[in-house]
């Protein structure tokens, strides 16, 4: 009986520690997501202002996405998911593959919102950005930054 109680307490302590760690990771992820959105949105606004109507609006979307991913990857790797011992390049490539899915959402969603619904590019991109963080967190946690040493 005593060992059961002790085991139960250990299990409870582990669950609380896990919840605490995940809660902290969610907070840093939300900060990273906000930082990513701000960096991308500012770059996109600048890109659209500089290019004007000389190039299709989807071109700055692609370029700004690439620049943003390069800028924010270290934060996700070092602060949010705290990965060590794995190649930065391999991790970046996985991170970019996940990012490509969201770039795809922008490339598909923007024309629908801009051309058919008549929503301005920056507003439409803002709507798409709001929809992506929950899905991005799940994919990055489970695939991009998972602990491969345990496998």
């Amino acid at each position: 009986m005593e060992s059961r109680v002790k085991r139960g307490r250990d299990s409870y302590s582990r669950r609380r520690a896990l919840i605490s760690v995940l809660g902290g990771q969610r907070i840093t992820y939300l900060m990273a997501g906000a930082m990513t959105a701000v960096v991308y949105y500012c770059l996109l606004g600048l890109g659209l202002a500089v290019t004007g109507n000389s190039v299709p609006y989807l071109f700055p979307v692609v370029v700004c996405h690439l620049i943003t991913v390069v800028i924010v990857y270290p934060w996700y790797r070092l602060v949010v998911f705290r990965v060590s011992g794995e190649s930065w390049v391999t991790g970046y490539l996985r991170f970019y593959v996940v990012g490509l899915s969201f770039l795809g959402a922008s490339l598909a969603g923007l024309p629908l919102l801009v051309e058919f619904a008549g929503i301005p590019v920056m507003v439409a991109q803002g709507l798409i950005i709001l929809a992506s963080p929950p899905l991005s967190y799940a994919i990055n946690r489970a695939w991009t930054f998972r602990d491969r040493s345990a496998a």
Side-chain angles (χ1 to χ4, degrees):
M1 182 80 168
E2 193 171 310
S3 64
R4 261 193 201 162
V5 171
K6 185 175 181 185
R7 191 177 327 141
R9 286 183 187 156
D10 286 347
S11 176
Y12 176 75
S13 297
R14 285 187 201 126
R15 277 194 308 255
R16 287 193 43 100
L18 179 62
I19 289 168
S20 175
V21 167
L22 292 177
Q25 187 178 60
R26 285 188 188 119
I27 290 168
T28 57
Y29 181 79
L30 287 173
M31 290 177 4
M35 175 186 68
T36 302
V38 167
V39 167
Y40 172 74
Y41 209 67
C42 289
L43 288 172
L44 182 59
L46 181 63
L48 290 170
V50 168
T51 60
N53 290 331
S54 63
V55 298
Y57 62 87
L58 293 177
F59 180 74
V61 166
V62 172
V63 172
C64 293
H65 180 267
L66 174 63
I67 294 168
T68 301
V69 171
V70 170
I71 292 170
V72 302
Y73 173 68
W75 178 266
Y76 281 88
R77 181 180 173 94
L78 299 172
V79 178
V80 177
F81 295 102
R82 297 184 182 119
V83 175
S84 63
E86 182 182 318
S87 165
W88 275 70
V89 174
T90 302
Y92 173 78
L93 292 174
R94 275 195 302 274
F95 186 71
Y96 197 72
V97 166
V98 173
L100 285 176
S101 64
F102 295 102
L103 176 60
S106 289
L107 294 177
L110 280 174
L112 292 173
L113 294 172
V114 173
E115 307 301 327
F116 296 115
I119 299 172
V121 174
M122 291 297 286
V123 174
Q125 186 63 78
L127 294 172
I128 293 169
I129 287 171
L130 288 174
S132 66
L135 184 57
S136 174
Y137 177 78
I139 294 169
N140 278 315
R141 186 165 183 267
W143 183 63
T144 308
F145 297 107
R146 83 167 185 247
D147 183 6
R148 286 171 172 64
S149 65

